[in-house]
Amino acid sequence: MENKERKVINKRDTIIMVLIIIFALACAFIPKLADDGGYAVIKCGDVVAARLELNKDGDYTFPEFEGMVFTVADGAISVTKSNCGDHTCMRTGSISRSGEVIVCVPNKAAITIESKEQSDLDVVLK
Amino acid sequence: MAESRFQKITAAALIVATLASCGVSSGFAENSDFIFDTYTHTLICGNKPDETISGLNRIFSKLDTSLSLCYNTPAVQLPDNQAYSDCIAKSRALTDKYGKGINIACGELTALWGISTDAPKVPTENEIAELLKKIPQNDSFTETTKLDFGAVAKGYACDKAYELLATTDTDYATVSLGSSTLLYGAKPNGEFRAGVTNPDNAEGYLGIIETDAAFISTSGGYERFFEADGKRYSHILDMETGYPVETDLTSVTVIIPADTEDGGIMSDFLSTLIYIQGTDELGKWLAYEEFELVAADVNGIVYTDCGGFTLDKDSGYSYGK
């Protein structure tokens, strides 16, 4: 009995440690996200202008982006109207995975995704 | 006894959590911004990542002022005069080594087309012909010549980012400046993965490049262009004709190992040059050892010597010889 007490790490410790390690790894690799379909984060320059839930379909407008319409449908977001000259933002189409981005340089708008469906890409070349 | 056991376990858990999320005693920081007329994104994993981000931002905003199309500012008044003369010297050296096609002295022509402005327009044939006579070459312009660093500025900025990162305790970093990217350091669980945008479909990928630390630049006419009278005009101009380049390539990506000196500016310059020259010259470029490339053409063929490239099976493209 005394012997057991002196052991630095006994069997129960090992089990607890393994469980904690698994929990720690899970915390590190599974992103902390809401239970629903994720969010579109719309930034104006470096300031977050809006966070839209991707499971709430609709057309959205914001005072920061005059003339722009953001459309959420089928768990994805797209820019469906813009007053910018080049319309690069509209041509990007819809995005739904983290790592993807829609950009409108003239309006300084950038849309990124916070989603359960993680993209495994470090960067998208365009 | 119970307490010390608890401490041991907690300590073990903390170490594992730290190691799993990033390197030892490291943290993440990321930043996005609009500079170089594009959306930029930086992610740093390392020691004091916020300081590193601030350092990078300072470099980029200085470079943006020095190298953007504000060519009316005399070079001596620019906040980073070194960058200005550096880009001129390195562009000339690259032209000497790889051939003509990119002329940083073409600022007047870029301005005439209004490329990357709110109001691009098609000039008359006469306007272009007159201007072409006046535009000097890379190696013979004067102090009053309007310069356009569009084909080298972002790549050069990636070189400067690499220099700064090398002085910091950074495990890995991704610095994305639109068409040019620096993938720095080593990720704990494998290579970097970079998606190449499908030139026909901005929502999809042409394929994925798996690579160690590298400078990567992409050129194509599919993202920046404008339409007038039903015709599409891309932002890359042909120095011979004065018109947007007519090429049978739709996308060119150049990958250069990150330890290559001036690898950033080289990747930017080469991706543009290879794109301009089209499929006829591809054999020559594929033979080079110092860089790898992925090129897609108008017929849906992908040409590559990049071992880390995997074609997306839904891209609609297939491999050439």
Side-chain angles (χ1 to χ4, degrees), chain B residues 196-202 204-206 220-223 232 249-252 296-297 315 317:
Chain B
V196 185
T197 300
N198 189 327
D200 301 333
N201 166 22
Y205 297 110
L206 184 65
Y222 56 90
E223 199 175 72
R232 186 184 275 209
L249 288 174
T250 52
S251 161
V252 173
D297 77 4
S315 65
Y317 281 81

mmCIF file with all atom_site columns, all heavy atoms in Angstrom, chain B residues 196-202 204-206 220-223 232 249-252 296-297 315 317:
data_model
loop_
_atom_site.group_PDB
_atom_site.id
_atom_site.type_symbol
_atom_site.label_atom_id
_atom_site.label_alt_id
_atom_site.label_comp_id
_atom_site.label_asym_id
_atom_site.label_entity_id
_atom_site.label_seq_id
_atom_site.pdbx_PDB_ins_code
_atom_site.Cartn_x
_atom_site.Cartn_y
_atom_site.Cartn_z
_atom_site.occupancy
_atom_site.B_iso_or_equiv
_atom_site.pdbx_formal_charge
_atom_site.auth_seq_id
_atom_site.auth_comp_id
_atom_site.auth_asym_id
_atom_site.auth_atom_id
_atom_site.pdbx_PDB_model_num
ATOM 1   N N   . VAL B 1 196 ? -4.466  27.087 -56.063 1.00 0.00 ? 196 VAL B N   1
ATOM 2   C CA  . VAL B 1 196 ? -4.357  27.940 -57.249 1.00 0.00 ? 196 VAL B CA  1
ATOM 3   C C   . VAL B 1 196 ? -5.765  28.175 -57.790 1.00 0.00 ? 196 VAL B C   1
ATOM 4   O O   . VAL B 1 196 ? -6.469  27.215 -58.122 1.00 0.00 ? 196 VAL B O   1
ATOM 5   C CB  . VAL B 1 196 ? -3.492  27.282 -58.347 1.00 0.00 ? 196 VAL B CB  1
ATOM 6   C CG1 . VAL B 1 196 ? -3.304  28.239 -59.515 1.00 0.00 ? 196 VAL B CG1 1
ATOM 7   C CG2 . VAL B 1 196 ? -2.154  26.845 -57.790 1.00 0.00 ? 196 VAL B CG2 1
ATOM 8   N N   . THR B 1 197 ? -6.193  29.422 -57.871 1.00 0.00 ? 197 THR B N   1
ATOM 9   C CA  . THR B 1 197 ? -7.547  29.743 -58.335 1.00 0.00 ? 197 THR B CA  1
ATOM 10  C C   . THR B 1 197 ? -7.753  29.254 -59.764 1.00 0.00 ? 197 THR B C   1
ATOM 11  O O   . THR B 1 197 ? -6.884  29.397 -60.619 1.00 0.00 ? 197 THR B O   1
ATOM 12  C CB  . THR B 1 197 ? -7.777  31.264 -58.269 1.00 0.00 ? 197 THR B CB  1
ATOM 13  O OG1 . THR B 1 197 ? -7.609  31.681 -56.918 1.00 0.00 ? 197 THR B OG1 1
ATOM 14  C CG2 . THR B 1 197 ? -9.176  31.645 -58.722 1.00 0.00 ? 197 THR B CG2 1
ATOM 15  N N   . ASN B 1 198 ? -8.916  28.662 -60.006 1.00 0.00 ? 198 ASN B N   1
ATOM 16  C CA  . ASN B 1 198 ? -9.273  28.213 -61.353 1.00 0.00 ? 198 ASN B CA  1
ATOM 17  C C   . ASN B 1 198 ? -9.558  29.442 -62.215 1.00 0.00 ? 198 ASN B C   1
ATOM 18  O O   . ASN B 1 198 ? -10.448 30.229 -61.884 1.00 0.00 ? 198 ASN B O   1
ATOM 19  C CB  . ASN B 1 198 ? -10.517 27.308 -61.264 1.00 0.00 ? 198 ASN B CB  1
ATOM 20  C CG  . ASN B 1 198 ? -10.831 26.629 -62.561 1.00 0.00 ? 198 ASN B CG  1
ATOM 21  O OD1 . ASN B 1 198 ? -10.605 27.188 -63.641 1.00 0.00 ? 198 ASN B OD1 1
ATOM 22  N ND2 . ASN B 1 198 ? -11.336 25.412 -62.482 1.00 0.00 ? 198 ASN B ND2 1
ATOM 23  N N   . PRO B 1 199 ? -8.819  29.628 -63.329 1.00 0.00 ? 199 PRO B N   1
ATOM 24  C CA  . PRO B 1 199 ? -9.024  30.840 -64.125 1.00 0.00 ? 199 PRO B CA  1
ATOM 25  C C   . PRO B 1 199 ? -10.428 30.941 -64.723 1.00 0.00 ? 199 PRO B C   1
ATOM 26  O O   . PRO B 1 199 ? -10.885 32.037 -65.041 1.00 0.00 ? 199 PRO B O   1
ATOM 27  C CB  . PRO B 1 199 ? -7.958  30.750 -65.227 1.00 0.00 ? 199 PRO B CB  1
ATOM 28  C CG  . PRO B 1 199 ? -7.349  29.406 -65.142 1.00 0.00 ? 199 PRO B CG  1
ATOM 29  C CD  . PRO B 1 199 ? -7.729  28.788 -63.829 1.00 0.00 ? 199 PRO B CD  1
ATOM 30  N N   . ASP B 1 200 ? -11.123 29.787 -64.869 1.00 0.00 ? 200 ASP B N   1
ATOM 31  C CA  . ASP B 1 200 ? -12.459 29.802 -65.470 1.00 0.00 ? 200 ASP B CA  1
ATOM 32  C C   . ASP B 1 200 ? -13.558 29.935 -64.425 1.00 0.00 ? 200 ASP B C   1
ATOM 33  O O   . ASP B 1 200 ? -14.718 30.154 -64.767 1.00 0.00 ? 200 ASP B O   1
ATOM 34  C CB  . ASP B 1 200 ? -12.721 28.500 -66.237 1.00 0.00 ? 200 ASP B CB  1
ATOM 35  C CG  . ASP B 1 200 ? -11.695 28.296 -67.317 1.00 0.00 ? 200 ASP B CG  1
ATOM 36  O OD1 . ASP B 1 200 ? -11.156 29.298 -67.805 1.00 0.00 ? 200 ASP B OD1 1
ATOM 37  O OD2 . ASP B 1 200 ? -11.409 27.124 -67.639 1.00 0.00 ? 200 ASP B OD2 1
ATOM 38  N N   . ASN B 1 201 ? -13.213 29.732 -63.169 1.00 0.00 ? 201 ASN B N   1
ATOM 39  C CA  . ASN B 1 201 ? -14.243 29.650 -62.145 1.00 0.00 ? 201 ASN B CA  1
ATOM 40  C C   . ASN B 1 201 ? -13.636 30.047 -60.816 1.00 0.00 ? 201 ASN B C   1
ATOM 41  O O   . ASN B 1 201 ? -12.955 29.271 -60.164 1.00 0.00 ? 201 ASN B O   1
ATOM 42  C CB  . ASN B 1 201 ? -14.777 28.203 -62.100 1.00 0.00 ? 201 ASN B CB  1
ATOM 43  C CG  . ASN B 1 201 ? -15.591 27.940 -60.854 1.00 0.00 ? 201 ASN B CG  1
ATOM 44  O OD1 . ASN B 1 201 ? -16.107 28.860 -60.230 1.00 0.00 ? 201 ASN B OD1 1
ATOM 45  N ND2 . ASN B 1 201 ? -15.701 26.672 -60.486 1.00 0.00 ? 201 ASN B ND2 1
ATOM 46  N N   . ALA B 1 202 ? -13.896 31.298 -60.413 1.00 0.00 ? 202 ALA B N   1
ATOM 47  C CA  . ALA B 1 202 ? -13.238 31.837 -59.219 1.00 0.00 ? 202 ALA B CA  1
ATOM 48  C C   . ALA B 1 202 ? -13.631 31.088 -57.951 1.00 0.00 ? 202 ALA B C   1
ATOM 49  O O   . ALA B 1 202 ? -12.963 31.201 -56.935 1.00 0.00 ? 202 ALA B O   1
ATOM 50  C CB  . ALA B 1 202 ? -13.588 33.319 -59.065 1.00 0.00 ? 202 ALA B CB  1
ATOM 51  N N   . GLY B 1 204 ? -13.654 27.820 -57.750 1.00 0.00 ? 204 GLY B N   1
ATOM 52  C CA  . GLY B 1 204 ? -12.982 26.524 -57.695 1.00 0.00 ? 204 GLY B CA  1
ATOM 53  C C   . GLY B 1 204 ? -11.473 26.664 -57.789 1.00 0.00 ? 204 GLY B C   1
ATOM 54  O O   . GLY B 1 204 ? -10.935 27.759 -57.938 1.00 0.00 ? 204 GLY B O   1
ATOM 55  N N   . TYR B 1 205 ? -10.804 25.537 -57.693 1.00 0.00 ? 205 TYR B N   1
ATOM 56  C CA  . TYR B 1 205 ? -9.350  25.534 -57.766 1.00 0.00 ? 205 TYR B CA  1
ATOM 57  C C   . TYR B 1 205 ? -8.867  24.804 -59.007 1.00 0.00 ? 205 TYR B C   1
ATOM 58  O O   . TYR B 1 205 ? -9.442  23.813 -59.435 1.00 0.00 ? 205 TYR B O   1
ATOM 59  C CB  . TYR B 1 205 ? -8.755  24.853 -56.522 1.00 0.00 ? 205 TYR B CB  1
ATOM 60  C CG  . TYR B 1 205 ? -9.093  25.597 -55.254 1.00 0.00 ? 205 TYR B CG  1
ATOM 61  C CD1 . TYR B 1 205 ? -9.984  25.058 -54.339 1.00 0.00 ? 205 TYR B CD1 1
ATOM 62  C CD2 . TYR B 1 205 ? -8.538  26.841 -55.001 1.00 0.00 ? 205 TYR B CD2 1
ATOM 63  C CE1 . TYR B 1 205 ? -10.312 25.761 -53.185 1.00 0.00 ? 205 TYR B CE1 1
ATOM 64  C CE2 . TYR B 1 205 ? -8.860  27.544 -53.859 1.00 0.00 ? 205 TYR B CE2 1
ATOM 65  C CZ  . TYR B 1 205 ? -9.751  27.008 -52.948 1.00 0.00 ? 205 TYR B CZ  1
ATOM 66  O OH  . TYR B 1 205 ? -10.072 27.692 -51.835 1.00 0.00 ? 205 TYR B OH  1
ATOM 67  N N   . LEU B 1 206 ? -7.772  25.318 -59.563 1.00 0.00 ? 206 LEU B N   1
ATOM 68  C CA  . LEU B 1 206 ? -7.077  24.593 -60.618 1.00 0.00 ? 206 LEU B CA  1
ATOM 69  C C   . LEU B 1 206 ? -6.389  23.388 -59.991 1.00 0.00 ? 206 LEU B C   1
ATOM 70  O O   . LEU B 1 206 ? -6.364  22.295 -60.557 1.00 0.00 ? 206 LEU B O   1
ATOM 71  C CB  . LEU B 1 206 ? -6.039  25.530 -61.262 1.00 0.00 ? 206 LEU B CB  1
ATOM 72  C CG  . LEU B 1 206 ? -5.259  25.023 -62.451 1.00 0.00 ? 206 LEU B CG  1
ATOM 73  C CD1 . LEU B 1 206 ? -6.190  24.776 -63.624 1.00 0.00 ? 206 LEU B CD1 1
ATOM 74  C CD2 . LEU B 1 206 ? -4.183  26.025 -62.837 1.00 0.00 ? 206 LEU B CD2 1
ATOM 75  N N   . GLY B 1 220 ? -2.376  36.317 -64.251 1.00 0.00 ? 220 GLY B N   1
ATOM 76  C CA  . GLY B 1 220 ? -3.439  35.869 -65.140 1.00 0.00 ? 220 GLY B CA  1
ATOM 77  C C   . GLY B 1 220 ? -4.296  37.052 -65.506 1.00 0.00 ? 220 GLY B C   1
ATOM 78  O O   . GLY B 1 220 ? -4.235  38.104 -64.866 1.00 0.00 ? 220 GLY B O   1
ATOM 79  N N   . GLY B 1 221 ? -5.084  36.896 -66.553 1.00 0.00 ? 221 GLY B N   1
ATOM 80  C CA  . GLY B 1 221 ? -5.933  38.001 -66.971 1.00 0.00 ? 221 GLY B CA  1
ATOM 81  C C   . GLY B 1 221 ? -7.351  37.850 -66.473 1.00 0.00 ? 221 GLY B C   1
ATOM 82  O O   . GLY B 1 221 ? -8.229  38.625 -66.816 1.00 0.00 ? 221 GLY B O   1
ATOM 83  N N   . TYR B 1 222 ? -7.598  36.805 -65.640 1.00 0.00 ? 222 TYR B N   1
ATOM 84  C CA  . TYR B 1 222 ? -8.970  36.454 -65.317 1.00 0.00 ? 222 TYR B CA  1
ATOM 85  C C   . TYR B 1 222 ? -9.543  37.264 -64.179 1.00 0.00 ? 222 TYR B C   1
ATOM 86  O O   . TYR B 1 222 ? -10.737 37.327 -63.992 1.00 0.00 ? 222 TYR B O   1
ATOM 87  C CB  . TYR B 1 222 ? -9.067  34.959 -64.977 1.00 0.00 ? 222 TYR B CB  1
ATOM 88  C CG  . TYR B 1 222 ? -8.151  34.528 -63.855 1.00 0.00 ? 222 TYR B CG  1
ATOM 89  C CD1 . TYR B 1 222 ? -8.565  34.561 -62.540 1.00 0.00 ? 222 TYR B CD1 1
ATOM 90  C CD2 . TYR B 1 222 ? -6.852  34.097 -64.132 1.00 0.00 ? 222 TYR B CD2 1
ATOM 91  C CE1 . TYR B 1 222 ? -7.731  34.190 -61.522 1.00 0.00 ? 222 TYR B CE1 1
ATOM 92  C CE2 . TYR B 1 222 ? -6.003  33.726 -63.116 1.00 0.00 ? 222 TYR B CE2 1
ATOM 93  C CZ  . TYR B 1 222 ? -6.452  33.767 -61.803 1.00 0.00 ? 222 TYR B CZ  1
ATOM 94  O OH  . TYR B 1 222 ? -5.599  33.401 -60.797 1.00 0.00 ? 222 TYR B OH  1
ATOM 95  N N   . GLU B 1 223 ? -8.684  37.889 -63.362 1.00 0.00 ? 223 GLU B N   1
ATOM 96  C CA  . GLU B 1 223 ? -9.255  38.590 -62.218 1.00 0.00 ? 223 GLU B CA  1
ATOM 97  C C   . GLU B 1 223 ? -9.371  40.099 -62.421 1.00 0.00 ? 223 GLU B C   1
ATOM 98  O O   . GLU B 1 223 ? -10.380 40.704 -62.143 1.00 0.00 ? 223 GLU B O   1
ATOM 99  C CB  . GLU B 1 223 ? -8.487  38.288 -60.944 1.00 0.00 ? 223 GLU B CB  1
ATOM 100 C CG  . GLU B 1 223 ? -9.394  38.641 -59.775 1.00 0.00 ? 223 GLU B CG  1
ATOM 101 C CD  . GLU B 1 223 ? -8.852  38.303 -58.429 1.00 0.00 ? 223 GLU B CD  1
ATOM 102 O OE1 . GLU B 1 223 ? -7.915  38.967 -57.957 1.00 0.00 ? 223 GLU B OE1 1
ATOM 103 O OE2 . GLU B 1 223 ? -9.399  37.362 -57.847 1.00 0.00 ? 223 GLU B OE2 1
ATOM 104 N N   . ARG B 1 232 ? -12.972 42.072 -73.750 1.00 0.00 ? 232 ARG B N   1
ATOM 105 C CA  . ARG B 1 232 ? -12.352 42.021 -72.438 1.00 0.00 ? 232 ARG B CA  1
ATOM 106 C C   . ARG B 1 232 ? -10.894 42.490 -72.522 1.00 0.00 ? 232 ARG B C   1
ATOM 107 O O   . ARG B 1 232 ? -10.140 42.033 -73.377 1.00 0.00 ? 232 ARG B O   1
ATOM 108 C CB  . ARG B 1 232 ? -12.426 40.576 -71.945 1.00 0.00 ? 232 ARG B CB  1
ATOM 109 C CG  . ARG B 1 232 ? -11.941 40.383 -70.528 1.00 0.00 ? 232 ARG B CG  1
ATOM 110 C CD  . ARG B 1 232 ? -11.967 38.921 -70.176 1.00 0.00 ? 232 ARG B CD  1
ATOM 111 N NE  . ARG B 1 232 ? -13.283 38.497 -69.706 1.00 0.00 ? 232 ARG B NE  1
ATOM 112 C CZ  . ARG B 1 232 ? -13.460 37.494 -68.842 1.00 0.00 ? 232 ARG B CZ  1
ATOM 113 N NH1 . ARG B 1 232 ? -12.423 36.828 -68.387 1.00 0.00 ? 232 ARG B NH1 1
ATOM 114 N NH2 . ARG B 1 232 ? -14.662 37.152 -68.460 1.00 0.00 ? 232 ARG B NH2 1
ATOM 115 N N   . LEU B 1 249 ? -2.202  31.686 -72.625 1.00 0.00 ? 249 LEU B N   1
ATOM 116 C CA  . LEU B 1 249 ? -2.190  31.169 -71.254 1.00 0.00 ? 249 LEU B CA  1
ATOM 117 C C   . LEU B 1 249 ? -3.233  31.936 -70.433 1.00 0.00 ? 249 LEU B C   1
ATOM 118 O O   . LEU B 1 249 ? -3.475  33.116 -70.672 1.00 0.00 ? 249 LEU B O   1
ATOM 119 C CB  . LEU B 1 249 ? -0.806  31.343 -70.625 1.00 0.00 ? 249 LEU B CB  1
ATOM 120 C CG  . LEU B 1 249 ? 0.283   30.414 -71.153 1.00 0.00 ? 249 LEU B CG  1
ATOM 121 C CD1 . LEU B 1 249 ? 1.636   30.774 -70.558 1.00 0.00 ? 249 LEU B CD1 1
ATOM 122 C CD2 . LEU B 1 249 ? -0.048  28.952 -70.851 1.00 0.00 ? 249 LEU B CD2 1
ATOM 123 N N   . THR B 1 250 ? -3.853  31.231 -69.500 1.00 0.00 ? 250 THR B N   1
ATOM 124 C CA  . THR B 1 250 ? -4.856  31.892 -68.664 1.00 0.00 ? 250 THR B CA  1
ATOM 125 C C   . THR B 1 250 ? -4.359  32.127 -67.245 1.00 0.00 ? 250 THR B C   1
ATOM 126 O O   . THR B 1 250 ? -4.869  32.998 -66.546 1.00 0.00 ? 250 THR B O   1
ATOM 127 C CB  . THR B 1 250 ? -6.149  31.061 -68.601 1.00 0.00 ? 250 THR B CB  1
ATOM 128 O OG1 . THR B 1 250 ? -5.804  29.729 -68.215 1.00 0.00 ? 250 THR B OG1 1
ATOM 129 C CG2 . THR B 1 250 ? -6.842  31.030 -69.949 1.00 0.00 ? 250 THR B CG2 1
ATOM 130 N N   . SER B 1 251 ? -3.360  31.352 -66.822 1.00 0.00 ? 251 SER B N   1
ATOM 131 C CA  . SER B 1 251 ? -2.856  31.485 -65.463 1.00 0.00 ? 251 SER B CA  1
ATOM 132 C C   . SER B 1 251 ? -1.447  30.903 -65.390 1.00 0.00 ? 251 SER B C   1
ATOM 133 O O   . SER B 1 251 ? -1.194  29.818 -65.916 1.00 0.00 ? 251 SER B O   1
ATOM 134 C CB  . SER B 1 251 ? -3.792  30.737 -64.505 1.00 0.00 ? 251 SER B CB  1
ATOM 135 O OG  . SER B 1 251 ? -3.145  30.469 -63.287 1.00 0.00 ? 251 SER B OG  1
ATOM 136 N N   . VAL B 1 252 ? -0.540  31.642 -64.773 1.00 0.00 ? 252 VAL B N   1
ATOM 137 C CA  . VAL B 1 252 ? 0.834   31.144 -64.588 1.00 0.00 ? 252 VAL B CA  1
ATOM 138 C C   . VAL B 1 252 ? 1.248   31.367 -63.129 1.00 0.00 ? 252 VAL B C   1
ATOM 139 O O   . VAL B 1 252 ? 1.141   32.469 -62.613 1.00 0.00 ? 252 VAL B O   1
ATOM 140 C CB  . VAL B 1 252 ? 1.841   31.869 -65.506 1.00 0.00 ? 252 VAL B CB  1
ATOM 141 C CG1 . VAL B 1 252 ? 3.271   31.465 -65.163 1.00 0.00 ? 252 VAL B CG1 1
ATOM 142 C CG2 . VAL B 1 252 ? 1.547   31.578 -66.968 1.00 0.00 ? 252 VAL B CG2 1
ATOM 143 N N   . ALA B 1 296 ? -1.667  27.219 -67.042 1.00 0.00 ? 296 ALA B N   1
ATOM 144 C CA  . ALA B 1 296 ? -2.901  26.704 -67.637 1.00 0.00 ? 296 ALA B CA  1
ATOM 145 C C   . ALA B 1 296 ? -3.166  27.463 -68.929 1.00 0.00 ? 296 ALA B C   1
ATOM 146 O O   . ALA B 1 296 ? -2.928  28.672 -68.992 1.00 0.00 ? 296 ALA B O   1
ATOM 147 C CB  . ALA B 1 296 ? -4.074  26.895 -66.679 1.00 0.00 ? 296 ALA B CB  1
ATOM 148 N N   . ASP B 1 297 ? -3.631  26.757 -69.987 1.00 0.00 ? 297 ASP B N   1
ATOM 149 C CA  . ASP B 1 297 ? -3.890  27.462 -71.241 1.00 0.00 ? 297 ASP B CA  1
ATOM 150 C C   . ASP B 1 297 ? -5.374  27.485 -71.607 1.00 0.00 ? 297 ASP B C   1
ATOM 151 O O   . ASP B 1 297 ? -6.212  26.893 -70.919 1.00 0.00 ? 297 ASP B O   1
ATOM 152 C CB  . ASP B 1 297 ? -3.022  26.905 -72.376 1.00 0.00 ? 297 ASP B CB  1
ATOM 153 C CG  . ASP B 1 297 ? -3.530  25.582 -72.935 1.00 0.00 ? 297 ASP B CG  1
ATOM 154 O OD1 . ASP B 1 297 ? -4.603  25.110 -72.511 1.00 0.00 ? 297 ASP B OD1 1
ATOM 155 O OD2 . ASP B 1 297 ? -2.847  25.020 -73.811 1.00 0.00 ? 297 ASP B OD2 1
ATOM 156 N N   . SER B 1 315 ? -11.648 20.509 -61.856 1.00 0.00 ? 315 SER B N   1
ATOM 157 C CA  . SER B 1 315 ? -11.266 21.813 -62.419 1.00 0.00 ? 315 SER B CA  1
ATOM 158 C C   . SER B 1 315 ? -11.631 21.949 -63.892 1.00 0.00 ? 315 SER B C   1
ATOM 159 O O   . SER B 1 315 ? -11.703 23.052 -64.420 1.00 0.00 ? 315 SER B O   1
ATOM 160 C CB  . SER B 1 315 ? -9.759  22.023 -62.260 1.00 0.00 ? 315 SER B CB  1
ATOM 161 O OG  . SER B 1 315 ? -9.053  21.070 -63.037 1.00 0.00 ? 315 SER B OG  1
ATOM 162 N N   . TYR B 1 317 ? -9.666  20.845 -66.156 1.00 0.00 ? 317 TYR B N   1
ATOM 163 C CA  . TYR B 1 317 ? -8.374  20.881 -66.844 1.00 0.00 ? 317 TYR B CA  1
ATOM 164 C C   . TYR B 1 317 ? -7.735  19.496 -66.828 1.00 0.00 ? 317 TYR B C   1
ATOM 165 O O   . TYR B 1 317 ? -8.047  18.653 -65.991 1.00 0.00 ? 317 TYR B O   1
ATOM 166 C CB  . TYR B 1 317 ? -7.426  21.869 -66.144 1.00 0.00 ? 317 TYR B CB  1
ATOM 167 C CG  . TYR B 1 317 ? -7.712  23.310 -66.499 1.00 0.00 ? 317 TYR B CG  1
ATOM 168 C CD1 . TYR B 1 317 ? -8.743  24.013 -65.867 1.00 0.00 ? 317 TYR B CD1 1
ATOM 169 C CD2 . TYR B 1 317 ? -6.956  23.975 -67.458 1.00 0.00 ? 317 TYR B CD2 1
ATOM 170 C CE1 . TYR B 1 317 ? -9.021  25.326 -66.190 1.00 0.00 ? 317 TYR B CE1 1
ATOM 171 C CE2 . TYR B 1 317 ? -7.218  25.299 -67.783 1.00 0.00 ? 317 TYR B CE2 1
ATOM 172 C CZ  . TYR B 1 317 ? -8.243  25.974 -67.148 1.00 0.00 ? 317 TYR B CZ  1
ATOM 173 O OH  . TYR B 1 317 ? -8.496  27.268 -67.474 1.00 0.00 ? 317 TYR B OH  1
#
